[in-house]
Amino acid sequence: ATAADGQKATQTITVTVLPVDEIAQKLGEIGGELRTGLREHAFDSLQAALAINEGLLSEDDRCASANRGPVAAQVSGDRTAQQAGVSYAQSLTDCRSQTRVKVDGGAYLTRRDGDVDTRGFGTVRIEHDATDRVTVGAALTSSFADDELGGFASGAISDRTLQVDVFARWRLTDDLRAGAFLGAGRAWYDFDLVEDGLTLSGEMTGERLLYGAMLSGDLTVGGRPVTVDALVSHASEDLGAASLDAAYLGERRSGIAFQVGEVDATRVSVPAHIGLLGGNGASYRLVLSPGVLCEDRAASGSGLTCGYQLGARLSADVGSRDGLVLRVRHEEVDGRIAQLLSVGYAIRFGRSEGLALALTMDQRAGAQGGDSALMLRLTTGR
């Protein structure tokens, strides 16, 4: 440095350049949100798997759908969401056989608030009547889902699952039924995102275990038929660590281990279905369904909270092909309220009544506010 009068001074300055890992710092900034998004998607996938397993415990009316076509397509929508889907169900053996083989599946495309997700599943099921009161079976289920990975400028996630289940249903008495299921499977997840200059892609594998039990009984109270269903189901999935490939500020890294952890879902439902009017071939039916409901509603923990559910369903045959349905449902769990009021009218027409047109008006209310929807659904069978 030289002053105005010509005097000079010299000083040595040492500059040290440190090897800062910008990718690690960026992952530290978004890691919490990424982990939450991955766990929430896995949680939704786990709940969908539980719903399929719970359906295995329902007694199947073997020949109820013998005259219906195996293929059905539907399109529905309102001002907030639109959905198109196709489903398939077929018995590969005689519905009265002691051993039965069934296949079913479906694929659905949903658009909600600008986001589009695709989900589908396929199941092959074998059932065997061990005795006139005991049915045992096994099922192989595969599913897929493609959805948005929320919270980022751009993000997508998909999963593919394969699951094996064994189940049994017992008719303990003419008025008492029981059932149980046990399943294990694996899920493969792929995801990618772009956020503030960071480009990231990753994959992870989840090992899942599912089990549940059901007890259902029929009784008469005050001369009215009552059916009480008690269902407890649980599913857990160990996601372990995801493997990430990232690029940020000119740097690239592969095989980054990112811990995701474990998710689980639990559901306890004990409704009582009380027939107040109709039944036994009557053209109208009214069923009241109060009960207890406990759910695990968050992917971030295992807390089970309980509340109550109250529902009512009134259905009436207007004509040989027409039907009117009124449904009311109210749920409250951990202070969160969900309500539904639905009025629907359906008519079957066409050759062999293979087409059904339904108009439904729904009013929903919940923790995120309320919404009204007018839905038109066309179902066709072949």
Side-chain angles (χ1 to χ4, degrees):
T2 303
D5 59 2
Q7 296 186 52
K8 295 182 178 181
T10 301
Q11 182 178 349
T12 300
I13 299 176
T14 301
V15 178
T16 302
V17 179
L18 300 176
V20 177
D21 190 342
E22 283 88 358
I23 290 180
Q25 286 187 341
K26 190 62 178 177
L27 285 178
E29 295 174 8
I30 69 166
E33 194 163 9
L34 174 59
R35 186 176 293 105
T36 296
L38 297 178
R39 289 167 61 88
E40 287 182 348
H41 181 85
F43 184 71
D44 291 342
S45 178
L46 208 56
Q47 286 188 316
L50 264 186
I52 294 175
N53 280 53
E54 290 172 355
L56 299 175
L57 301 185
S58 301
E59 273 198 312
D60 188 19
D61 189 350
R62 302 180 190 175
C63 299
S65 58
N67 297 323
R68 299 178 187 173
V71 179
Q74 64 182 38
V75 177
S76 62
D78 56 36
R79 61 186 177 86
T80 60
Q82 303 81 41
Q83 184 181 79
V86 61
S87 60
Y88 178 86
Q90 180 67 61
S91 177
L92 303 184
T93 55
D94 190 291
C95 63
R96 292 174 293 269
S97 298
Q98 185 179 12
T99 301
R100 302 172 296 280
V101 180
K102 304 176 183 180
V103 295
D104 62 278
Y108 302 92
L109 178 68
T110 303
R111 182 180 184 275
R112 183 183 300 274
D113 297 329
D115 294 334
V116 178
D117 68 88
T118 306
R119 294 183 179 272
F121 75 96
T123 299
V124 179
R125 177 173 42 169
I126 301 175
E127 294 185 358
H128 175 73
D129 293 333
T131 70
D132 59 347
R133 290 184 175 271
V134 178
T135 299
V136 296
L140 177 65
T141 302
S142 178
S143 69
F144 68 89
D146 297 283
D147 204 349
E148 302 288 332
L149 185 60
F152 301 99
S154 174
I157 185 170
S158 64
D159 69 68
R160 305 292 182 269
T161 72
L162 188 64
Q163 183 177 308
V164 177
D165 305 290
V166 291
F167 60 94
R169 298 191 298 266
W170 301 270
R171 180 168 284 277
L172 304 176
T173 68
D174 291 341
D175 298 322
L176 186 63
R177 301 164 296 279
F181 69 83
L182 175 65
R186 174 171 290 188
W188 295 267
Y189 300 88
D190 294 285
F191 55 92
D192 58 74
L193 64 88
V194 176
E195 178 70 16
D196 193 23
L198 172 69
T199 301
L200 182 146
S201 61
E203 60 183 24
M204 63 182 182
T205 302
E207 304 289 342
R208 56 178 54 177
L209 177 67
L210 309 93
Y211 52 88
M214 175 272 295
L215 185 65
S216 176
D218 302 325
L219 61 154
T220 301
V221 178
R224 302 187 184 282
V226 178
T227 299
V228 179
D229 296 327
L231 176 65
V232 180
S233 57
H234 178 81
S236 61
E237 183 168 341
D238 185 4
L239 298 168
S243 177
L244 309 180
D245 297 335
Y248 183 60
L249 298 180
E251 295 187 7
R252 293 181 178 274
R253 288 181 59 190
S254 300
I256 305 171
F258 180 78
Q259 290 295 326
V260 181
E262 182 177 325
V263 294
D264 60 71
T266 304
R267 174 178 163 85
V268 179
S269 178
V270 188
H273 309 288
I274 308 170
L276 298 180
L277 296 173
N280 298 325
S283 61
Y284 59 90
R285 293 160 295 279
L286 175 61
V287 178
L288 184 66
S289 302
V292 176
L293 178 63
C294 302
E295 290 182 322
D296 181 0
R297 294 192 168 220
S300 57
S302 302
L304 187 65
T305 55
C306 295
Y308 67 91
Q309 55 184 321
L310 179 62
R313 177 185 173 93
L314 174 64
S315 59
D317 298 330
V318 180
S320 60
R321 296 186 174 189
D322 302 5
L324 178 68
V325 176
L326 171 65
R327 291 187 300 154
V328 179
R329 187 170 184 83
H330 178 93
E331 295 179 359
E332 184 169 351
V333 178
D334 194 26
R336 288 170 291 188
I337 298 175
Q339 296 175 329
L340 169 67
L341 172 62
S342 178
V343 180
Y345 184 84
I347 180 172
R348 300 194 65 85
F349 60 95
R351 184 176 181 181
S352 301
E353 299 184 0
L355 297 174
L357 185 65
L359 180 65
T360 306
M361 181 174 63
D362 292 348
Q363 174 65 48
R364 298 177 184 269
Q368 305 300 321
D371 185 33
S372 299
L374 185 64
M375 184 175 298
L376 182 65
R377 175 171 298 165
L378 176 63
T379 303
T380 176
R382 175 175 59 80

